[in-house]
Amino acid sequence: MTGILFEYEDFDFSNIEEELKVVEQCQKLLQQFYIWLQKQDKTPEKASELCYRTDYYLRDYLLDFMQSNLLRYQSGQIRYFGGNWYITHSPEPDIEILNCHLEAITCFYLYLQSLNLISLAELDQIEKETSETEYYRQRIRSFFTILGEGFDVWDMECPLMKE
């Protein structure tokens, strides 16, 4: 099976109709990612789990919340995902579950780099952000200890850095 070739513009959107087309492109990309994962010696079950977690990151976070093109990586976007967004959008944030998401995100960006859709420098930054386990653990712990008006202070410790 020959893979579908993607262009950066395939993931740009400015209205709901374009966003729905981007979601379709994401589904195609995730299907190819699933096949690639199996070629990397992942079992079908593990590949499916990684795709599921990647889909959550792409559609719920990057597309819906960030309104971002998934091929146009922004430094800090994963750090914000793990250190703020995941925590505030999960009923019970858990470091083990977050680590599973971060593993999937790393695999996904490795895949994008294999297609030359992101640079090695971007991949290095992504791997740095996904490996900050202790930082994310501390963010989850401190979230559970927020008292009174403390949320704003907690929130500002990991700001969204949109470019």
Side-chain angles (χ1 to χ4, degrees):
M1 174 182 156
T2 304
I4 300 167
L5 299 177
F6 295 96
E7 301 290 332
Y8 292 95
E9 295 76 27
D10 292 341
F11 298 95
D12 285 334
F13 60 96
S14 60
N15 59 50
I16 190 68
E17 291 83 19
E18 291 173 353
E19 186 174 354
L20 291 173
K21 289 178 184 174
V22 168
V23 169
E24 287 177 28
Q25 289 294 85
C26 283
Q27 290 170 335
K28 292 174 187 173
L29 183 59
L30 286 169
Q31 288 169 347
Q32 286 185 201
F33 177 48
Y34 177 78
I35 293 166
W36 181 83
L37 286 167
Q38 291 181 76
K39 290 179 181 175
Q40 307 304 306
D41 296 324
K42 304 288 188 218
T43 65
E45 294 79 16
K46 181 65 174 180
S48 182
E49 176 194 338
L50 292 169
C51 286
Y52 169 78
R53 293 186 184 284
T54 300
D55 183 56
Y56 173 74
Y57 169 76
L58 295 178
R59 291 202 289 171
D60 291 3
Y61 175 66
L62 281 183
L63 297 180
D64 188 44
F65 177 75
M66 294 280 293
Q67 299 285 300
S68 275
N69 180 319
L70 64 98
L71 298 180
R72 299 185 198 282
Y73 172 75
Q74 298 173 39
S75 180
Q77 78 185 29
I78 294 169
R79 192 168 210 261
Y80 186 80
F81 170 80
N84 196 316
W85 190 88
Y86 164 79
I87 297 167
T88 59
H89 288 79
S90 297
E92 293 187 41
D94 178 270
I95 190 62
E96 298 307 318
I97 293 171
L98 177 57
N99 283 338
C100 292
H101 287 295
L102 296 171
E103 175 191 9
I105 291 166
T106 301
C107 288
F108 179 69
Y109 283 108
L110 281 167
Y111 171 64
L112 292 183
Q113 203 288 313
S114 78
L115 298 175
N116 295 313
L117 292 171
I118 64 166
S119 70
L120 283 174
E122 288 171 315
L123 182 60
D124 286 344
Q125 178 63 31
I126 288 162
E127 288 177 331
K128 179 181 176 284
E129 290 181 34
T130 58
S131 69
E132 296 180 327
T133 304
E134 269 315 302
Y135 173 75
Y136 300 126
R137 184 183 317 277
Q138 176 275 324
R139 291 287 295 159
I140 291 171
R141 280 188 196 137
S142 65
F143 179 75
F144 285 120
T145 64
I146 294 172
L147 298 172
E149 304 291 319
F151 178 79
D152 290 339
V153 171
W154 179 89
D155 190 47
M156 295 303 287
E157 291 172 0
C158 185
L160 176 60
M161 301 169 70
K162 272 189 148 179
E163 295 176 356

